[in-house]
Amino acid sequence: MIRGDAFQSFLDAALVAFDRHATDIRARNSVMQLFSQLETPGVQRDDAPPKRLPVCERFLASALENAATKPSLERMISCFRELEPLIVWRWRSSYDSSASDNFLMSHANGMIVGPGGLEDRKDVWLGVTLMAPHVRYPDHDHPPEETYLVMSEGEFKQAEGEWFAPGIGGSFYNTPGIKHAMRSGSKPLLALWALRADGQSH
Ligand SMILES: [Fe+2]
């Protein structure tokens, strides 16, 4: 149950970054509750070997460099670089025609905390998505509320609203069950998401 140093340092830096950037009051409440739940560590997994997907090899380094240009994200990015070699990057298991044709080979999700994550638990999910340029993630929804911390250029959409670009360090809140999606432009998209969950799939 004891977290490794790289893991705990990343969580500490992520809390600071979410606290700095989440402005929506619902997001702030959610994030503060979520990180207080994380004060109790969950099961640390070491049975799944770390795995990178092709999109990671091609775009992760440049996406992290780009994110670190924002001074308030620098510390978290540096901690993420230490943690990343442990992450099992995965493809999303389901998607529909709302995704772009290139979606499958052009995205990767890393579950840091959450079901199947480095810290395996159901109450809190903290993960990261990387997408190559010109990729649209499928519409999806889930009962848990969710706060995004965006670390790149790229656009996001909620329900039937217009696409919007939070920018590096931008944050927004998804109410429980709202349909949402993201798409990259000419640069890779990198975003962290934090959910207070009941165990449903992301
Ligand atoms: Fe989501």
Side-chain angles (χ1 to χ4, degrees):
M1 301 281 271
I2 296 175
R3 291 174 180 144
D5 289 346
F7 196 95
Q8 188 60 54
S9 297
F10 171 75
L11 292 183
D12 293 346
L15 169 58
V16 171
F18 271 98
D19 181 46
R20 165 75 177 74
H21 291 286
T23 50
D24 186 302
I25 187 67
R26 299 162 299 177
R28 296 194 60 78
N29 285 338
S30 180
V31 162
M32 289 306 139
Q33 283 182 43
L34 177 161
F35 277 99
S36 110
Q37 285 166 233
L38 286 180
E39 286 173 17
T40 307
V43 176
Q44 307 299 301
R45 288 191 58 174
D46 53 12
D47 52 337
K51 185 181 176 194
R52 281 192 178 132
L53 296 176
V55 70
C56 305
E57 303 294 355
R58 291 186 61 200
F59 294 109
L60 184 59
S62 63
L64 290 173
E65 253 171 56
N66 195 30
T69 60
K70 184 92 175 170
S72 53
L73 293 181
E74 214 177 344
R75 166 81 185 146
M76 186 182 68
I77 295 299
S78 141
C79 291
F80 182 80
R81 283 198 178 101
E82 297 291 317
L83 180 67
E84 191 277 329
L86 302 176
I87 291 178
V88 188
W89 291 92
R90 296 187 176 97
W91 285 306
R92 182 181 168 85
S93 54
S94 64
Y95 57 96
D96 61 17
S97 59
S98 64
S100 52
D101 289 343
N102 59 359
F103 172 68
L104 184 62
M105 290 304 291
S106 305
H107 84 285
N109 288 332
M111 188 74 86
I112 297 166
V113 176
L118 295 177
E119 180 165 312
D120 198 353
R121 61 195 292 165
K122 289 184 177 170
D123 61 331
V124 172
W125 301 23
L126 181 62
V128 58
T129 295
L130 172 68
M131 297 204 305
H134 306 296
V135 177
R136 188 203 191 281
Y137 201 88
D139 290 333
H140 64 289
D141 60 71
H142 37 69
E145 61 184 0
E146 177 178 44
T147 302
Y148 269 82
L149 178 54
V150 180
M151 299 187 285
S152 69
E153 292 166 35
E155 294 185 318
F156 296 77
K157 183 176 161 69
Q158 294 175 307
E160 304 311 317
E162 297 294 315
W163 290 96
F164 61 98
I168 300 177
S171 176
F172 64 94
Y173 174 79
N174 285 329
T175 52
I178 193 171
K179 183 172 80 173
H180 55 286
M182 50 191 158
R183 69 182 181 188
S184 51
S186 59
K187 292 195 174 166
L189 185 152
L190 185 69
L192 272 179
W193 27 268
L195 291 81
R196 289 188 65 227
D198 306 315
Q200 289 86 355
S201 69
H202 181 72

